[in-house]
Structure formats: C-alpha cells, structure tokens
Amino acid sequence: MAHKSESVSLLPPEIVSEILVRLPVKSLLRMRCVSKSWLFLISTRQFIKTHLKFQPTNKIFLRFYTCSLYAIMYQESPHLPDDLHFPCKDPLVDYNFVGSCDGLLCISSGVGDLFLWNPSIRKSKKLPFSGSNVDCSSYLAYGIGYNKCQADYKVVQVMGSSHSEYGFQNEFRVYSVRTNSWKMIQEYPGVIFCNDPAKFVNGRLHWIATHVSDKNDSWFISSLNLVDETYENVALPDLVYGNFDWELGILGGNLCVFCDYYKVRMDVWVMKAYGLVESWTKVASIPYFTAIEHSPFPVFISHNDEILLQHGSNLLIYNSTHNTFKHPQVQIHHGYEIQFSLYTKSLVLPHFVEEV
C-alpha cells in the first residue's frame, strides 16, 4: 500500500488532476481520504466545475428515489430505485420538486420552506426566510439556475397576489448561494406566471405566462436572465392551433414545447438554436392509445429518437421510428404523486465555501 502511495505522489499534479476529474462522484468521495493534497484539490471550486463537464445527466429523480437512466432505457429487468435519504424529510409535510441544476436539487415544503440538496454528496441546506408573505399569495412559482458571471447558483421565487388597491402584482425574489441571502428584483408587471417549475436553459429561467389583461387567455414563454436580471419573451414554434394544452420542458439541454392535443397526439418541439424562432423543430408526434389515461410528459430523448415519457406515476418509452411503446418496470411507491426529472451526479455544494 505504501509503495502505491509513493508511486502516485511521483505523478505531476496536473496529471493527477486530469485522472481524478474523470472519476465518478462516489469514487472521488473515497479519494478525498488518500491525502490532504487530494482532499484540497477535490474540494476546490475549479475542480468541481471542471468535473461537471465529464459527468453525464444519467440519473432519474423520483421524489426522493433515484434510478439509472441507462437501466430504464436499455435493460429489461424490473428496476428497484435507491432511496436518496433526504435528511430534512418530515413524514407529516408534503414536499415538491422545484428543479435541479448541476446536481443541486431544490425542494419546497408545504409549510413554505425551501431546501438545496445534493444527494450525491449527501449535503443539504435549508434556505433562509425569503421575506415573502406566502399566505397572501395567489400562486408561487420557483426556479433554480446558475449565474456563470458570478459563479453563483440562484433560486428564484415568484409570488403573485391580487390587491384591491394596486391590482395584480408579482414579487420576484432571488436567493444567492454565494451570499446566503435573498433580494428583491424588478417585477414583470401585468403578467401571471404558471406555477410549474421554471426550465433553466442558456442562462435563463423560463416559465409559461399570460397577461392579466388578456381576455383571450393566450399564453407565451417568459424568461429571466440570471446575469442581468432582465425579462424577455421567447417566440413559440408555429403550432397547429386547436384544442390543446402545452407545457415547457428540456430535452438534450434544449428548450422544448410539448403540445398536447388531448386523446389524439402530443407534438414535441425542440428549439435547437436558442433564441432563433426558425430553429424550432418538431421531433416527434406521439399518438395516444387506449391505455394512456394521463397526458404524457417527455423526460428524455435518446440518440435513436426513443422518448422516455412520464405517464402519471409510471414511465413509458416511445419509439418514433417504429411507432411502438414499451413499459419499463420501476418498483416505486404509488401512495403519492411521483415527480420525474433528470439530474447529474456532481460535487456541487449547496452552500458557499470561501477558498484560501
């Protein structure tokens, strides 16, 4: 053992770093015990950031459980999810998944608390009180993303409320991991946001929104830039109008629109070049069949155009080439609504650590 340790110490530091940065999180957690220098290296923000680039998004989050994406897509046997052991879980409290970014999961509770949690390294943090009176809100919408200019993870809370004196108002608050504090930013007046979790793409959080004054109830995509905290609208694809609902999603890192013509089909649109309306591409049209009782929600698309779908508390895989479905067997608890999402295993901390 001593001989091996001496051999490793003879390697140049840059070679050691190049080797370690390609290892999975579980191995790196063990490697921290090899030496003080390895512990220091693995704990630096630069190493954690570089390590992220080598980590595939290959885990499925199933409300405090996790499964291998590869196993679900390509293996036939039943899959038993692993319990992630959320340390803040109270059996009397209802929790909701707000979103994920670089392996950090954001969880909200039914009593108004917010948590950042990285299950890969078993670190979590309860966020301080935002200052919002959520009991007076008409709705709450959340999002989590990364400000690359400040190297800072941000959680955004949108609280909509109706006042007899001022009309409908939105209150935007942004939490910074770096400062461990909330601040209010400029609101987006006259707009109601859908309370589904925001989708983080290209440095921006995206929600479905509508204007308060719009009597036609037409919806659009609104985005918040986490760098300069400005709002922009994102043009929709050229949808075939009719009786349908639509949702936002992310497939392959791209912003998506899922257009659900209920009991007929679901069209899947992908914005392949962010911000270019002409880059919207319909990648699939998923037919309904008699066994589909709920609107399916695409979670993942493979290189051979197989689409993993959430269907209620179950999963489906649709093959667009052969127009076939298969049902991966995932043994999950069905006592409550399951929220499916992809996430990346990472070393990202839910709190800021000052480096010497």
Side-chain angles (χ1 to χ4, degrees):
M1 182 68 185
H3 177 70
K4 288 184 179 179
S5 178
E6 291 170 5
S7 300
V8 168
S9 66
L10 294 176
L11 291 173
E14 59 272 17
I15 300 299
V16 172
S17 180
E18 285 295 317
I19 294 171
L20 293 180
V21 82
R22 288 166 169 78
L23 296 180
V25 171
K26 189 174 181 179
S27 298
L28 287 172
L29 295 180
R30 294 196 298 266
M31 295 297 178
R32 293 183 304 179
C33 302
V34 170
S35 68
K36 289 183 178 179
S37 61
W38 282 27
L39 172 61
F40 175 80
L41 171 66
I42 294 168
S43 302
T44 62
R45 287 196 293 273
Q46 184 57 51
F47 182 91
I48 292 171
K49 183 179 178 181
T50 306
H51 178 259
L52 259 175
K53 298 176 182 178
F54 295 95
Q55 301 308 299
T57 302
N58 62 358
K59 288 291 181 179
I60 297 182
F61 177 73
L62 310 98
R63 195 181 176 109
F64 306 129
Y65 292 83
T66 186
C67 263
S68 162
L69 176 62
Y70 179 87
I72 287 177
M73 293 296 293
Y74 305 113
Q75 294 178 4
E76 296 297 329
S77 59
H79 312 290
L80 183 64
D82 296 320
D83 191 338
L84 291 173
H85 302 289
F86 180 48
C88 308
K89 187 163 59 175
D90 183 333
L92 301 178
V93 174
D94 185 37
Y95 295 91
N96 288 294
F97 175 71
V98 169
S100 70
C101 182
D102 295 344
L104 273 186
L105 308 183
C106 188
I107 309 292
S108 68
S109 77
V111 294
D113 293 326
L114 284 170
F115 302 88
L116 285 179
W117 173 40
N118 185 337
S120 303
I121 57 175
R122 298 190 176 184
K123 298 287 185 181
S124 64
K125 175 182 176 61
K126 180 181 176 181
L127 303 194
F129 176 52
S130 69
S132 296
N133 186 2
V134 296
D135 293 333
C136 298
S137 64
S138 300
Y139 68 85
L140 285 170
Y142 294 102
I144 179 173
Y146 182 69
N147 180 336
K148 64 180 180 180
C149 292
Q150 298 176 355
D152 192 10
Y153 290 92
K154 302 289 183 83
V155 176
V156 177
Q157 178 193 70
V158 187
M159 187 183 81
S161 56
S162 183
H163 300 278
S164 56
E165 183 179 353
Y166 303 106
F168 192 87
Q169 288 187 317
N170 282 309
E171 199 175 86
F172 276 78
R173 295 178 186 264
V174 180
Y175 171 79
S176 161
V177 168
R178 181 177 281 269
T179 64
N180 189 33
S181 63
W182 292 86
K183 71 172 184 177
M184 287 189 67
I185 63 172
Q186 180 183 357
E187 66 169 301
Y188 193 165
V191 170
I192 299 174
F193 290 81
C194 177
N195 62 359
D196 287 338
K199 309 305 176 188
F200 181 66
V201 177
N202 203 50
R204 297 166 173 84
L205 290 171
H206 300 79
W207 290 272
I208 297 176
T210 188
H211 291 287
V212 176
S213 59
D214 190 346
K215 296 181 180 179
N216 294 323
D217 198 29
S218 57
W219 297 81
F220 58 93
I221 302 174
S222 178
S223 72
L224 172 64
N225 190 319
L226 290 185
V227 173
D228 59 15
E229 296 172 350
T230 58
Y231 306 97
E232 290 182 359
N233 294 343
V234 178
L236 285 165
D238 187 15
L239 302 174
V240 177
Y241 287 93
N243 184 23
F244 66 86
D245 292 322
W246 59 281
E247 294 187 60
L248 286 181
I250 300 174
L251 288 176
N254 296 311
L255 189 66
C256 300
V257 168
F258 310 132
C259 194
D260 184 13
Y261 297 86
Y262 187 59
K263 293 298 183 182
V264 179
R265 70 180 191 279
M266 170 179 280
D267 292 343
V268 180
W269 293 82
V270 175
M271 183 177 253
K272 295 194 172 182
Y274 185 84
L276 294 179
V277 64
E278 59 270 21
S279 75
W280 280 112
T281 304
K282 186 165 71 171
V283 297
S285 190
I286 303 169
Y288 271 75
F289 64 99
T290 53
I292 293 185
E293 300 175 354
H294 310 279
S295 297
F297 186 87
V299 176
F300 169 76
I301 185 167
S302 70
H303 66 278
N304 58 349
D305 295 331
E306 284 191 316
I307 301 176
L308 180 65
L309 303 163
Q310 176 183 349
H311 175 235
S313 294
N314 297 294
L315 291 170
L316 290 172
I317 298 175
Y318 173 66
N319 188 309
S320 58
T321 303
H322 302 102
N323 195 31
T324 56
F325 290 89
K326 65 179 180 180
H327 303 258
Q329 299 300 310
V330 183
Q331 298 174 3
I332 54 180
H333 177 60
H334 290 272
Y336 43 73
E337 180 184 355
I338 299 295
Q339 295 169 298
F340 294 85
S341 180
L342 295 185
Y343 77 98
T344 304
K345 298 191 79 170
S346 79
L347 296 166
V348 175
L349 292 167
H351 55 269
F352 182 74
V353 177
E354 200 72 55
E355 293 186 354
V356 180

